Amino acid sequence: MALAPAGASATWSELRPDTTVTSGWTATPAGTAHWDLLDDAASAPSNPWTFGDYLSAAAAGPTQDEVGFTTAPIPSGEVVDNATAWVFLRTGASRSVQVGVRSGGTLLAAVTVPAGMSSGAWSSLILPAPLTQAQLDGLTMVFTDSGGSGTASTLYEAVIEVETKPGAAPPPPPPPGPANPPANPPANPPANPPADPPANPPANPPANPPANPPANPPADPGATTPPADPGPTVPTQPGTDGTVGVITPTTPDVGAAGPLAIVGKDPVATSTGVVPVTLGCPDTSVGGCSGQLWLEEPLDVAAQRGRISAARRSPKRFSRTRRYKIAQGQQRSIPVRLDRRTFRTFKGRRSFKVSVVAQQKDATGQVTTLRRTVRVFNTKKRKR
């Protein structure tokens, strides 16, 4: 696969379930479409909501469930550089679950999650790259529960992350040749080649130089000792006590990412559930700011609702993850769409609170997380 050149930007897409292919597991709540229980806006490493909306398998013998996924167009001139499937599930005490990814009925990758994972965790499998557009359009994920009776296996979330990067540029075409190529060279060389240069030197060479050099030759300019090298000039600055101190030169960290800021007033959501979040990249951020952004349940609301501490569960996500890239010293509004359940919950209210979470990674690989609680106002207010 042709790799992208250094510094080329990547395009990320998250594919979520949107169809049910096989429904062998049990849906909770009953009657809900199986794909609709697995498409919440949760992504690793954050845990999804585990107090409802799940599929379970408790019967003996292999039980299979399969869902289809949304697709994304591969941008022109780019190739699929990375594709990873993620599932969040729990396995029973004596039950294992095999997770496989297919395209058009062809198995691309599979992994078996062992029995006894009662606490629940994310499992991943890397798909072979590059994927064609046809393979991307036909992706499905199949879950096969196997083992004896006992504790049920529970499935909460499924997502496929796809990364595309610019491919290698095609080789330039060969230069066009002349319209009328020359005929074959003549077989016989010219009859009269040019004459050879004269073999004899000039008859009168120049006179001999004087035999006796001057009595007092001029002094050798190279013998003069050059002045000592004063060395580089060091800039100075006056100190507070009247002395002069040396200014220590500093080298800017070109690869360092400066602090990010969530700026602006409380946003106003559109009638379709899109929340515009304005991010600011400071002038001190050499190379700009880039990372990922999402909306989630505020920590204070999570504490009031059932008083469940953060140590027991992560805040529930209200949106899918969005990637952002902002130039140095610029601001940009990032549209973040609420997931369907959150939008249905809050669309009848005049306003509601969310936590805006932004993450960015610097050149050393260190991840910085910025969180701010804002009040989102709906475009359409309730009648009093």
Side-chain angles (χ1 to χ4, degrees):
M1 180 181 67
L3 298 179
S9 59
T11 302
W12 285 85
S13 300
E14 286 187 346
L15 311 184
R16 302 279 177 172
D18 66 344
T19 56
T20 302
V21 181
T22 305
S23 53
W25 292 39
T26 302
T28 302
T32 308
H34 286 211
W35 66 266
D36 198 17
L37 298 173
L38 307 178
D39 71 336
D40 293 338
S43 301
S46 299
N47 293 345
W49 181 262
T50 58
F51 295 92
D53 295 346
Y54 57 83
L55 296 174
S56 60
T63 306
Q64 193 172 92
D65 210 286
E66 186 173 4
V67 294
F69 283 78
T70 58
T71 187
I74 301 176
S76 177
E78 296 191 2
V79 295
V80 176
D81 184 66
N82 178 39
T84 307
W86 294 86
V87 293
F88 189 91
L89 56 82
R90 297 173 179 172
T91 56
S94 59
R95 314 179 68 83
S96 63
V97 176
Q98 184 189 62
V99 182
V101 177
R102 299 174 178 172
S103 180
T106 302
L107 184 64
L108 301 180
V111 65
T112 299
V113 182
M117 295 183 60
S118 58
S119 58
W122 285 100
S123 298
S124 65
L125 58 160
I126 299 177
L127 308 184
L131 296 176
T132 64
Q133 186 67 64
Q135 289 176 314
L136 209 63
D137 295 342
L139 289 179
T140 64
M141 194 177 296
V142 58
F143 315 99
T144 305
D145 175 79
S146 302
S149 59
T151 310
S153 297
T154 312
L155 179 63
Y156 298 95
E157 191 72 21
V159 60
I160 299 177
E161 295 180 348
V162 178
E163 178 187 12
T164 62
K165 288 185 178 180
N180 298 316
N184 295 332
N188 299 323
N192 299 317
D196 295 332
N200 299 324
N204 299 319
N208 295 330
N212 298 322
N216 299 318
D220 184 7
T224 304
T225 303
D229 185 8
T233 303
V234 180
T236 59
Q237 64 177 357
T240 56
D241 56 352
T243 61
V244 176
V246 178
I247 301 176
T248 303
T250 58
T251 302
D253 185 4
V254 178
L260 188 72
I262 302 174
V263 299
K265 299 180 180 179
D266 291 336
V268 177
T270 66
S271 58
T272 58
V274 177
V275 179
V277 178
T278 304
L279 301 180
C281 186
D283 296 333
T284 57
S285 179
V286 180
C289 304
S290 62
Q292 56 184 1
L293 170 73
W294 68 85
L295 306 178
E296 69 181 23
E297 181 182 24
L299 296 179
D300 54 347
V301 174
Q304 295 173 8
R305 184 177 302 160
R307 298 184 178 180
I308 301 175
S309 64
R312 293 184 57 187
R313 71 171 179 89
S314 301
K316 181 181 179 182
R317 289 206 181 188
F318 287 164
S319 72
R320 297 181 180 179
T321 303
R322 284 296 307 271
R323 301 276 173 175
Y324 65 85
K325 187 173 184 180
I326 309 173
Q328 177 184 0
Q330 300 294 321
Q331 293 185 4
R332 183 181 174 188
S333 178
I334 311 296
V336 184
R337 183 180 297 276
L338 297 170
D339 62 66
R340 289 193 297 271
R341 291 183 181 83
T342 304
F343 178 59
R344 288 196 297 263
T345 302
F346 293 136
K347 69 178 181 179
R349 302 183 185 179
R350 181 179 181 183
S351 64
F352 54 92
K353 284 185 177 182
V354 299
S355 280
V356 179
V357 184
Q359 285 185 345
Q360 69 170 354
K361 182 183 295 184
D362 60 18
T364 63
Q366 183 178 1
V367 178
T368 303
T369 302
L370 180 67
R371 179 178 281 102
R372 174 186 167 188
T373 299
V374 299
R375 181 175 293 277
V376 180
F377 292 88
N378 279 317
T379 303
K380 194 174 183 179
K381 300 180 179 179
R382 291 188 301 173
K383 295 182 180 181
R384 295 185 177 179

